Amino acid sequence: MDEDKKNISESGEEKSGVSRRGFLKGVAASAVGAAAIGIGGMGFLGGCSSGSSATSGSKVVASGDAKYEIINTDLLIIGAGFGALSAAFQAVDKGLQIAIVDKGPFRHGGGAGFNWDVISTWETQLGKESRLKNIVNQKIYYNATTTDPYNTANSDMAVTLLNRGECFPDRNSDGSIHWYINYPMVKGVEGSFPRNYHDALLKSPNVTVYDRTMITDILINDGQCVGAMGIYLPTGDFRVYRAPATILSTGGSCWFYGWNTVQANSINSTDNTGDVDMAAFRHGLGIGDSEYASYDFATTYPTGLGFGWSTMLNPDANEYFTICDKDGNRLVTKENGIDLQRITYDRVYFNQEVAKLLLAGKATADGGILVDVNGVKLRPPIKRNIPVFERFGVDVTKEKIPAREEMYEHGGTPVIDEKMMAEVKGLFCVRGAGVFGAGGGSCVSVNNRMGSYAARCAIEYIENMDKISKIDFTPAETEYARIHEIRTRNVNGGLRPHVVRHKIQQACGTCMGIIRQKDKLEAAAKELARIRQEDMPKMIVSNQSKTYNTEWKEAIENYNLLDLAELAVQATLMREESRGTYLRPDFPQKDDANWKCMLVGRLKDGKIFFEKKAMPEVTQW
Amino acid sequence: MKLKIFKYDPAMDAESRYIEHEVPFKDKMTLLEAIVWVHENKEMIAFDYSCHGRMCGRCAMMLDGTPVLACCAPITNKDHTVEPLKGHTVIRDLIVDKSAFGDRLSKQYQRIRTEPIKPGEINKFDAAVAPTIYDMANCTRCGVCDAGCPVLAEKPSQYAGPATMLAIAYRFLDSYDQADRELEAVSKGLYHCIMCGNCDKVCQRFEIKHVEAWKMLRAAAEKRNLKPSYAK
Ligand SMILES: Cc1cc2nc3c(=O)[nH]c(=O)nc-3n(C[C@H](O)[C@H](O)[C@H](O)COP(=O)(O)OP(=O)(O)OC[C@H]3O[C@@H](n4cnc5c(N)ncnc54)[C@H](O)[C@@H]3O)c2cc1C
Ligand code: FES
């Protein structure tokens, strides 16, 4: 977008805020090898360990001189979804000049780039919300809530969102807001549309958006994050963003879970592939909550429409009555032992109960369910999807449509402290580990709350930090070389990126749903280790042009998906209990004595190690 | 089924060309499935999509000359031509640059008020128009309507196009908006529209009724004597 817009330069040298500097140094081949090849080990997980260690099979090709532009900003925000936008509103309200980097076209990137009919929810009794039980960092909730100028934890949030352009068109006949969810602890309204926030944010003259730009690494100098870097996709140019503080909010990555014709088993976005979280992981930062995800059910027929939130039926906890077992009988019923009120606000409970019923022989042959919407009053956004089926000759009121669980959110993010800061100074994570814990990912209201809090923390940090006296761009040159080696790699019998990706997805598709069986997890762990050792060095991009090279992008993303997949599978294996949104049939109970903790995965000498971390609890509220 | 696909990499190619591939058809196939099949089994194609389900608007392109969303467009078992969305600069193959279009729409969608909404106002909304505005809110801003608009193709300096007009209609109905949207609609070419209804035909958000919205805006404009002389 608007690159000429003024940003304040820290040094004061570059008034335009966009300085262009070419680096003519050669490429450091050895450093590239280390960065590109990544990890292979299994940490200390006995039993399932293949013991593979880092490979050095790929040849490093020096791809010419590293050339990049340097963009300076007061505050760098990576991502343009709910979390990032909330941080952005807070930062511009405090007068900062911010740069937003979005991998997708702005307004169209990630989950919030789907202009979907969001249910916005608010907790009404502070300190009592059910998600505080999900092994979360309660201090974050306390701090964020008690300092929140936007009231994101109570019903006044409606005013905030209305002032960000919402209309809340779901109204009663007297014009008042129709509360779709109105329980003692939770209130919720249908019909929020995320693009209102993108539009509203652009009213501020303090925002510069750099969209269609994929951040591939963070810039770390002496244990301090001083920015990030990545590719401007339309041209393939490399950009380095300099900032005293960086806020990370790049969404939940579900894209490693299964593969169909055009989609993973997920309604989430192709954009969210954990790129920056996994860059942080490769820098040695701890990653938590990798085993946790959020699930609903999605129809899978016709195949191209499957798992698309506005092309499917979405038998989630709100439409539990459309869920049927393999024989077409209603599955989520009192008779089957389910508390029908609790499922609407406790997704963990919902998933576990459904998983138990499916395991008890109620599932269809492919492990899924059937959906029956005949005679049922559907939520407006789902009702709107029926004509899509009709265009494909499918009458959903006459046929029961096959469905299965889909992963719509996922954890697997850097561990943060109570001020939202990762294990490296200057990097703040809106959806950091401990924000959602066993809840598995995040949701709109938590993103709203934690986004603005992350910005307040970042601003406080900037105000108190020591002046950056020296900046070293060598890491940018290393990263430049790494990604261009991926683009120009030449291997006999090379594998195109989608081939490698589908293997990762298929491995996880068997074991990362709401039922996670040991033998399948172990097989997946083995396959992922094999992919890392054998396939990744052979991954080639068939067309090496730098212009919007989707294959190159996919190849870079595969490193992140693979890291994330290994973390997820291994953390699940390690956690010998059932907690959160999934069920391990071999350990069906929750085991607080041993596992009431976060599992933090960390890369050391090319291997993943896990450590247990207790989460702070708060009682004062 | 044969797919003829537009290819162009401005950094490498002197001019655009088409590639052709035989694709195995299957019942209830989407255009996106067919393109992914070619990309994975024949040769690399640059194309973009995110939501795989009618929300992000990124898969908009031309199928046999008609603008569609590839993720939910059914494809028939005969030969087809696939091209980038009309009206935008091609970045590569089927990926176009819609950023100017998107920025224009963002501006148009911004609510204008004298002061922020107060807590006591949250329950004040014109309930009669709420369902219509709820429908309109689903616009994906994919650009399909504009790509199918004959007036926009012919008189781009006089008619801002259906996507922009819908944004105006949305804020016109928004009880919290205080700007003069009737005037804006007329000044942006409301009366240049020939009411052919092609926007309604190509739009994949079936709940949005464009022509009805234009009629509503015209009625409101005429109440205020804003009908331009060229339309009388
Ligand atoms: C279809 C759908 C429906 C949902 N419905 C609800 C609901 O009704 N209520 C609710 O509370 N929750 C809902 N959720 C869950 C949850 O709210 C959202 O997933 C979440 O809030 C999305 O916000 P986010 O900011 O975390 O991520 P996103 O909105 O996904 O934003 C991520 C951003 O990061 C960018 N990005 C990714 N990688 C990079 C990179 N390498 N470099 C630069 N930018 C990058 C993306 O382009 C995007 O802009 C839903 C999720 C989905 C997918
Ligand atoms: S992929 Fe999002 S609208 Fe088609």
Side-chain angles (χ1 to χ4, degrees), chain B residues 89-232:
Chain B
T89 305
V90 174
I91 296 178
R92 181 167 179 184
D93 301 352
L94 301 174
I95 302 179
V96 296
D97 187 354
K98 292 196 271 190
S99 40
F101 166 76
D103 287 347
R104 234 176 15 247
L105 283 182
S106 262
K107 269 218 158 62
Q108 194 60 69
Y109 268 105
Q110 285 165 356
R111 181 189 285 138
I112 296 181
R113 281 178 67 82
T114 51
E115 59 182 309
I117 298 163
K118 298 194 181 79
E121 291 173 279
I122 71 168
N123 286 319
K124 289 186 187 149
F125 203 89
D126 181 356
V129 304
T132 310
I133 203 168
Y134 201 171
D135 290 343
M136 290 176 174
N138 286 285
C139 172
T140 66
R141 306 191 198 174
C142 60
V144 159
C145 55
D146 276 15
C149 175
V151 181
L152 188 59
E154 209 184 301
K155 307 181 189 173
S157 54
Q158 290 167 36
Y159 182 46
T164 304
M165 208 47 77
L166 190 75
I168 298 174
Y170 180 79
R171 287 300 172 204
F172 170 73
L173 291 180
D174 171 6
S175 303
Y176 299 117
D177 186 83
Q178 296 169 334
D180 187 342
R181 301 299 181 180
E182 296 96 314
L183 179 64
E184 206 169 11
V186 176
S187 77
K188 294 203 170 165
L190 177 64
Y191 283 88
H192 285 295
C193 166
I194 55 170
M195 299 286 197
C196 68
N198 212 40
C199 40
D200 277 330
K201 257 186 239 140
V202 293
C203 178
Q204 292 306 301
R205 297 302 321 200
F206 309 114
E207 59 277 1
I208 302 176
K209 309 283 182 236
H210 301 78
V211 172
E212 276 178 30
W214 312 162
K215 285 185 190 152
M216 167 194 76
L217 285 172
R218 283 186 181 185
E222 279 156 37
K223 248 195 202 158
R224 290 179 48 202
N225 287 324
L226 292 175
K227 192 171 181 175
S229 60
Y230 61 78
K232 279 178 184 155

Side-chain angles (χ1 to χ4, degrees), chain A residues 30-52:
Chain A
S30 58
V32 176
I37 289 151
I39 58 165
M42 307 288 291
F44 53 85
L45 285 171
C48 61
S49 170
S50 73
S52 65

Side-chain angles (χ1 to χ4, degrees), chain A residues 296-299 309 312-316 319 322 379 382 406:
Chain A
D296 269 339
F297 287 89
T299 47
W309 196 76
M312 68 183 210
L313 302 173
N314 176 216
D316 64 6
E319 277 167 7
T322 64
R379 283 180 58 202
I382 304 304
E406 61 87 17

Side-chain angles (χ1 to χ4, degrees), chain A residues 32-40 54-58 60 482 532 536-537 559:
Chain A
V32 176
I37 289 151
I39 58 165
T55 58
S56 54
S58 69
V60 175
R482 180 184 80 95
R532 181 178 300 285
M536 292 304 269
Y559 285 92

Side-chain angles (χ1 to χ4, degrees), chain A residues 9-77:
Chain A
S9 157
E10 221 190 41
S11 63
E13 283 168 15
E14 295 282 343
K15 274 266 164 65
S16 76
V18 184
S19 65
R20 290 184 171 75
R21 243 170 95 185
F23 277 78
L24 299 171
K25 278 184 213 155
V27 169
S30 58
V32 176
I37 289 151
I39 58 165
M42 307 288 291
F44 53 85
L45 285 171
C48 61
S49 170
S50 73
S52 65
S53 60
T55 58
S56 54
S58 69
K59 199 167 157 252
V60 175
V61 184
S63 50
D65 300 324
K67 279 205 184 111
Y68 46 92
E69 59 180 357
I70 295 169
I71 294 157
N72 190 51
T73 178
D74 286 0
L75 180 67
L76 174 64
I77 299 181

Side-chain angles (χ1 to χ4, degrees), chain A residues 459-531:
Chain A
I459 293 166
E460 189 188 316
Y461 165 83
I462 294 168
E463 283 165 357
N464 295 302
M465 72 192 284
D466 293 334
K467 215 171 159 30
I468 299 171
S469 54
K470 206 175 95 213
I471 182 120
D472 176 11
F473 285 107
T474 317
E477 292 172 40
T478 309
E479 176 62 2
Y480 181 96
R482 180 184 80 95
I483 60 171
H484 284 284
E485 186 278 328
I486 293 171
R487 181 177 61 87
T488 54
R489 188 180 299 164
N490 206 344
V491 183
N492 263 345
L495 301 170
R496 285 179 65 203
H498 72 268
V499 176
V500 178
R501 174 167 300 192
H502 296 342
K503 288 185 190 173
I504 299 171
Q505 292 165 320
Q506 275 148 5
C508 295
T510 61
C511 63
M512 287 308 294
I514 58 175
I515 300 168
R516 302 190 188 173
Q517 278 155 330
K518 187 164 187 235
D519 53 338
K520 291 189 174 146
L521 287 160
E522 286 174 354
K526 210 165 152 196
E527 168 67 355
L528 293 171
R530 188 204 62 74
I531 293 169

Side-chain angles (χ1 to χ4, degrees), chain B residues 32 49-59 69-72 140:
Chain B
L32 185 60
Y49 73 103
S50 167
C51 73
H52 52 90
R54 217 169 52 112
M55 296 176 289
C56 69
R58 278 160 62 174
C59 67
L69 288 178
C71 67
C72 55
T140 66

Side-chain angles (χ1 to χ4, degrees), chain A residues 117 162 166 195 199 391 545, chain B residues 9 106 111 134 140 204:
Chain A
D117 183 332
L162 284 171
E166 291 284 16
R195 261 180 225 150
D199 299 338
R391 288 184 72 206
S545 164
Chain B
D9 178 351
S106 262
R111 181 189 285 138
Y134 201 171
T140 66
Q204 292 306 301

